[in-house]
Amino acid sequence: MQELIDRIRSWEAKSQVLEPEQEVRNKTLSRVSNYANAFLNTLPEAKTFVSSEEMSDRFDITGRPHSIEEILNIYRKEIAEKGINAASGGHLGYIPGGGIYASALGDFLADVTNEYAGIFYASPGAVALETALIDWIKTLFSYPSGAVGNLASGGSIANLIALAAARDKHRIKGDKIKKSVVYLSAQTHHCVTKALRIIGLEDLLLRTLPIDSHFRIRPEALTETIAKDRELGLNPFLVIGSAGTTDTGAVDPLFEIGTICQQENLWFHVDAAYGGFFILAESAKHLFKGIELSDSLVVDPHKGLFLPYGIGAVLVKDREAVFHSNRAGADYMQDAFREDLPVNPADLGPELTKHFRGMRMWLPLQLYGTEPFAACLEEKLDLTRYLRIKLADLGFSLGPEPDLSVTYFWMDRGTESDAFNQHLLKLIHDDGSSYFSSTRVEGKFVIRSAILSFRTRISSVDSAIALISDCLVKTQKHFEKIS
Ligand SMILES: Cc1ncc(COP(=O)(O)O)c(C=O)c1O
């Protein structure tokens, strides 16, 4: 026995480093905090994009301990200084996230206390807090109090949860799959079709609906297509609307689509992952009229609330449908899974053990209130208008006025337009002080701007315009030389 006790004590001594004393904790924390401050203080001058195609080998697990200084050094050189600097206000590509500092502090608390946020019994406080956040989102979108919601890791998983619920509500399985029809548009985010594949609906029929000149679904086309499909003996069951398309910032006519779905008894899902929080902006509220008619919706706090990556929310009106996909019991969970307790987040999504993501959202909302978020979103809409005016002054052609903060532009050079704009974007990327991405619209290569970072200010747009202007002159010279 004594031998066993001695051995246990020796293991304890060897692993004691995992529980540092307060003095060591403070020292390490101050190093990390100093690093974060240096990063944030130099962010305005830092590159937004540094192309790097090599895979670093500096992360190898050698088994030996390293100092925090050594680790932070690797972090800076191999992570923070490579690729897209997603914390930078110069990030105008893809859908910029945010990274407000208060969220990092929320994560810090959630991680130190290590709340088990999937189960009410384990962490009633964490679950109550996340439920309060879901209730707030329900109020924003005029969802009924009986709806359920979940804080997932992002928009893709949030969409997947909603689509699984739609599948289970309409019992799309077996032979029924091949006859079932989903309606969407060419602007629908690709995570939707990916989710349909993941949930076993690869073989159903997809109808890509026509869109108007502003990239919004034409609702009359929806009615016609449903009627044709019913005549063919098919089973229409799901319509996907977007409130903020990724490519063009368009909001589909939600009221019209929602009304058709109610008449036709179809599940109406709205992907508002990018655009949803613009409902906080007074000037954009009207665009969301009819979103309350949807059966499910997705909205990403790591986009429109400027939180760090890793949080997307889903709301679903029919809780039984969500339970059908996600509720499962086990003997070892008998203490925790009790009918008399509030609903567990684990019953509303695929995760059992769940990061306490609510804390990164709740802390900033409580600390600042909602007004600064609304103001920041209004600012993004106005900055998009400002950017478009500046681009037009430089001679660029512009896509149609977007509903939200994503827009696109190109220099019209006839048959050499694609090559010209590709060259221009390459020069912008090589410089890296601002970052834009590209897409294709009706087959044409265009440069795409998405203003959503809370750090994108008028000065960021002015710098981006100066960079574009400089690269434009160089591109023109390059094309003069080769023609
Ligand atoms: C409209 C839309 N839906 C879904 C997604 C996917 O979200 P996530 O990248 O958080 O998984 C995105 C991402 O940009 C999006 O813009």
Side-chain angles (χ1 to χ4, degrees):
M1 185 65 171
Q2 192 50 50
E3 195 185 325
L4 176 62
I5 293 170
D6 290 348
R7 203 162 67 231
I8 291 170
R9 296 240 183 274
S10 115
W11 295 134
E12 184 180 320
K14 279 186 180 154
S15 58
Q16 195 55 47
V17 66
L18 300 178
E19 186 66 288
E21 301 277 327
Q22 181 170 327
E23 199 186 319
V24 180
R25 288 202 299 271
N26 282 344
K27 226 163 116 181
T28 315
L29 187 59
S30 90
R31 298 278 194 283
V32 173
S33 172
N34 289 346
Y35 174 90
N37 282 330
F39 174 82
L40 292 176
N41 293 340
T42 54
L43 199 48
E45 298 82 46
K47 291 275 183 202
T48 302
F49 181 58
V50 178
S51 172
S52 170
E53 291 176 2
E54 270 167 28
M55 189 90 160
S56 172
D57 59 4
R58 294 190 68 194
F59 302 117
D60 292 353
I61 305 298
T62 60
R64 74 170 174 86
H66 297 68
S67 69
I68 188 70
E69 288 80 5
E70 209 179 334
I71 291 165
L72 290 172
N73 201 25
I74 292 176
Y75 191 89
R76 181 172 57 75
K77 286 213 170 104
E78 304 299 336
I79 299 177
E81 290 180 358
K82 283 185 180 175
I84 296 172
N85 185 346
S88 162
H91 179 22
L92 309 171
Y94 303 103
I95 299 287
I100 48 180
Y101 191 74
S103 282
L105 302 181
D107 275 345
F108 180 75
L109 288 173
D111 289 0
V112 169
T113 62
N114 199 23
E115 294 300 327
Y116 194 87
I119 306 283
F120 179 85
Y121 172 84
S123 187
V127 173
L129 181 150
E130 293 201 347
T131 305
L133 289 172
I134 293 291
D135 285 347
W136 177 65
I137 301 174
K138 283 199 265 189
T139 310
L140 283 183
F141 293 101
S142 308
Y143 256 47
S145 58
V148 289
N150 194 12
L151 297 179
S153 57
S156 299
I157 300 300
N159 271 297
L160 186 135
I161 292 170
L163 299 179
R167 175 199 62 189
D168 293 349
K169 172 74 179 173
H170 286 259
R171 303 190 194 291
I172 310 298
K173 54 183 176 179
D175 291 345
K176 212 171 166 187
I177 296 176
K178 285 191 175 154
K179 289 182 129 199
S180 296
V181 194
V182 175
Y183 303 84
L184 36 68
S185 91
Q187 294 292 316
T188 304
H189 193 272
H190 71 278
C191 76
V192 167
T193 43
K194 178 171 158 177
L196 290 173
R197 284 206 307 274
I198 295 172
I199 64 173
L201 299 185
E202 180 175 6
D203 291 336
L204 53 62
L205 297 157
L206 291 179
R207 298 277 186 251
T208 306
L209 297 166
I211 45 184
D212 66 16
S213 58
H214 281 74
F215 303 98
R216 305 173 190 130
I217 287 175
R218 288 182 29 225
E220 67 284 4
L222 173 62
T223 312
E224 285 161 23
T225 321
I226 294 169
K228 276 189 201 147
D229 284 337
R230 290 213 198 278
E231 268 171 37
L232 290 170
L234 299 174
N235 175 42
F237 85 101
L238 170 63
V239 179
I240 314 285
S242 302
T245 58
T246 314
D247 253 358
T248 54
V251 180
D252 286 326
L254 304 173
F255 184 76
E256 287 80 354
I257 299 175
T259 306
I260 296 168
C261 288
Q262 286 193 337
Q263 285 159 356
E264 300 279 350
N265 189 29
L266 306 191
W267 184 288
F268 180 30
H269 172 67
V270 178
D271 179 2
Y274 147 61
F277 280 113
F278 279 100
I279 201 169
L280 287 168
E282 225 25 72
S283 72
K285 243 186 184 63
H286 64 282
L287 295 168
F288 297 89
K289 180 173 168 253
I291 200 164
E292 70 283 356
L293 300 179
S294 62
D295 295 283
S296 54
L297 74 83
V298 162
V299 58
D300 276 1
H302 72 187
K303 296 185 173 77
L305 275 191
F306 321 116
L307 267 49
Y309 294 130
I311 181 165
V314 58
L315 299 182
V316 182
K317 282 185 184 163
D318 189 322
R319 60 172 60 204
E320 292 308 322
V322 188
F323 289 155
H324 188 275
S325 339
N326 296 291
R327 207 170 225 180
D331 290 343
Y332 44 78
M333 297 302 292
Q334 65 184 2
D335 307 323
F337 286 170
R338 282 187 8 217
E339 289 293 330
D340 57 322
L341 294 179
V343 174
N344 294 313
D347 294 333
L348 302 168
E351 294 171 278
L352 172 60
T353 302
K354 198 164 175 291
H355 174 54
F356 180 26
R357 325 190 152 94
M359 196 55 198
R360 51 170 37 207
M361 178 171 168
W362 183 81
L363 192 139
L365 284 172
Q366 291 298 87
L367 204 54
Y368 307 131
T370 51
E371 207 180 309
F373 292 91
C376 210
L377 288 161
E378 293 280 14
E379 180 198 29
K380 304 312 154 212
L381 295 169
D382 275 341
L383 284 176
T384 307
R385 292 178 189 114
Y386 179 77
L387 173 80
R388 283 170 59 89
I389 293 168
K390 295 277 176 180
L391 287 168
D393 288 349
L394 287 177
F396 283 97
S397 299
L398 300 172
E401 179 109 20
D403 290 321
L404 299 172
S405 66
V406 174
T407 189
Y408 64 89
F409 57 97
W410 73 101
M411 188 54 73
D412 191 353
R413 301 273 299 201
T415 52
E416 68 180 10
S417 283
D418 278 11
F420 188 93
N421 289 289
Q422 276 161 11
H423 188 86
L424 171 60
L425 188 61
K426 182 174 180 327
L427 294 188
I428 293 171
H429 286 175
D430 288 348
D431 178 277
S433 54
S434 304
Y435 184 82
F436 292 89
S437 58
S438 69
T439 188
R440 285 193 178 269
V441 176
E442 285 145 6
K444 182 173 61 218
F445 180 96
V446 295
I447 303 175
R448 183 183 158 282
S449 158
I451 300 186
L452 196 63
S453 164
F454 72 106
R455 291 198 179 99
T456 300
R457 302 298 195 191
I458 196 160
S459 57
S460 333
V461 176
D462 285 338
S463 306
I465 286 290
L467 172 64
I468 292 172
S469 173
D470 183 44
C471 294
L472 181 60
V473 172
K474 289 182 182 145
T475 307
Q476 278 158 344
K477 282 194 183 140
H478 172 76
F479 274 76
E480 274 161 27
K481 229 192 272 168
I482 61 169
S483 66

